[in-house]
């Protein structure tokens, strides 16, 4: 059974290891294979400054992934799942599905009726994962760095 444990400033090295094990995502989102210490720190600090919750997905004391979410996005007052990423060594073992179920239960327990997330256009692997888990497309947004496909799921 997995648990969520907070990412702290002291555990940024573990965050970097998880993020940098996912080269395909890094190329799509940042344009290069691995993020620098500064980019990882910026990701962490940006999450904190927005009021997001960033947790490791932990199994038996081992951090196997990371989940980052906002309880309420200021722009639409909805909960948003910003990132769910499993270390490449642990992909295909059900950790993402289990983490999603835990997240959805947490949102239901807090009275949320639906959740939203964005997928970078071109991230076909993520697109398939989310649509297979009941998320439906509702809008495309063009941003500074990429186009995001927005999805939501009723809980």
């Amino acid at each position: 059974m997995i648990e969520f444990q907070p990412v702290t400033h002291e555990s940024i090295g573990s965050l970097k290891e998880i993020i940098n094990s996912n080269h395909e995502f890094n190329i799509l989102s940042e344009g290069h294979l691995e993020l620098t210490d500064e980019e990882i720190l910026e990701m962490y600090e940006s999450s904190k400054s927005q009021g997001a919750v960033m947790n490791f997905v932990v199994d038996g004391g081992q951090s196997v992934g990371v989940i980052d979410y906002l309880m309420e996005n200021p722009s639409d007052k909805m909960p948003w799942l910003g990132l769910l990423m499993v270390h490449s060594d642990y992909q295909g073992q059900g950790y993402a599905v289990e983490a999603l179920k835990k997240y959805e239960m947490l949102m239901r327990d807090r009275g949320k009726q639906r959740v939203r997330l964005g997928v970078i256009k071109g991230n076909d692997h993520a697109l398939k994962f989310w649509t297979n888990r009941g998320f439906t497309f509702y809008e495309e947004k063009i941003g500074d760095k990429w186009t995001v496909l927005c999805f939501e799921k009723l809980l």
Side-chain angles (χ1 to χ4, degrees), residues 81-95:
L81 180 55
L83 179 68
L84 175 56
M85 179 181 284
V86 174
H87 191 291
S88 63
D89 290 349
Y90 298 101
Q91 290 177 6
Q93 299 177 35
Y95 287 116

Side-chain angles (χ1 to χ4, degrees), residues 20-37:
N20 281 341
S21 75
N22 288 276
H23 292 158
E24 184 179 325
F25 178 80
N26 291 343
I27 290 170
L28 191 60
S29 66
E30 302 300 327
H32 48 277
L33 282 178
E34 294 191 351
L35 278 62
T36 65
D37 289 345

Side-chain angles (χ1 to χ4, degrees), residues 38-39 61 81-82 131:
E38 292 79 19
E39 288 170 314
L81 180 55
T131 56

Side-chain angles (χ1 to χ4, degrees), residues 74-132:
S75 67
D76 62 7
K77 308 298 184 218
M78 297 290 299
W80 273 76
L81 180 55
L83 179 68
L84 175 56
M85 179 181 284
V86 174
H87 191 291
S88 63
D89 290 349
Y90 298 101
Q91 290 177 6
Q93 299 177 35
Y95 287 116
V97 172
E98 198 173 339
L100 177 60
K101 287 179 184 176
K102 186 173 185 71
Y103 167 74
E104 289 176 350
M105 184 181 301
L106 177 67
M107 292 301 108
R108 279 193 296 274
D109 289 349
R110 294 189 178 178
K112 304 299 181 181
Q113 297 177 355
R114 56 188 166 157
V115 294
R116 291 184 169 172
L117 58 83
V119 175
I120 297 172
K121 192 171 187 173
N123 189 346
D124 296 332
H125 181 74
L127 181 64
K128 182 178 177 182
F129 177 84
W130 296 117
T131 56
N132 284 345

